Amino acid sequence: MSESTTGPDKVVNQPTPPHDEAATVGPRCGNNPATHLTDGDRQAVAEFKTYLAQRAALHHAREQQRLQDDFERPAFGEDA
């Protein structure tokens, strides 16, 4: 399909621009369900999920240690 542009003495046929997937799919982001991930994208997501899980486990271990230290610490005014 083509569009016509009229001028003072001429008609110019302009070809329809090629299909732009980005225009119909939308931006490439994690919130767009129409975005298709590449193998590299999936690998990056898996690596980041692994990093987040390790970070959460470390945070949990540190928090547990802090709670244990606070529990074992003598109360204010008590002798150790």
Side-chain angles (χ1 to χ4, degrees):
M1 180 178 246
S2 60
E3 300 174 7
S4 295
T5 304
T6 58
D9 294 332
K10 61 182 177 177
V11 173
V12 178
N13 286 328
Q14 296 177 335
T16 303
H19 176 70
D20 183 7
E21 184 179 349
T24 56
V25 173
R28 283 183 46 89
C29 70
N31 294 331
N32 184 347
T35 299
H36 300 286
L37 298 178
T38 65
D39 290 338
D41 293 338
R42 282 189 272 290
Q43 181 180 357
V45 168
E47 289 172 3
F48 191 68
K49 284 182 176 182
T50 300
Y51 160 76
L52 290 177
Q54 290 171 347
R55 189 176 80 164
L58 181 60
H59 176 75
H60 179 73
R62 286 180 177 163
E63 185 64 14
Q64 291 300 314
Q65 184 62 49
R66 186 189 66 78
L67 291 172
Q68 185 65 31
D69 291 348
D70 286 350
F71 180 75
E72 292 173 354
R73 184 176 302 142
F76 182 75
E78 293 183 5
D79 291 333

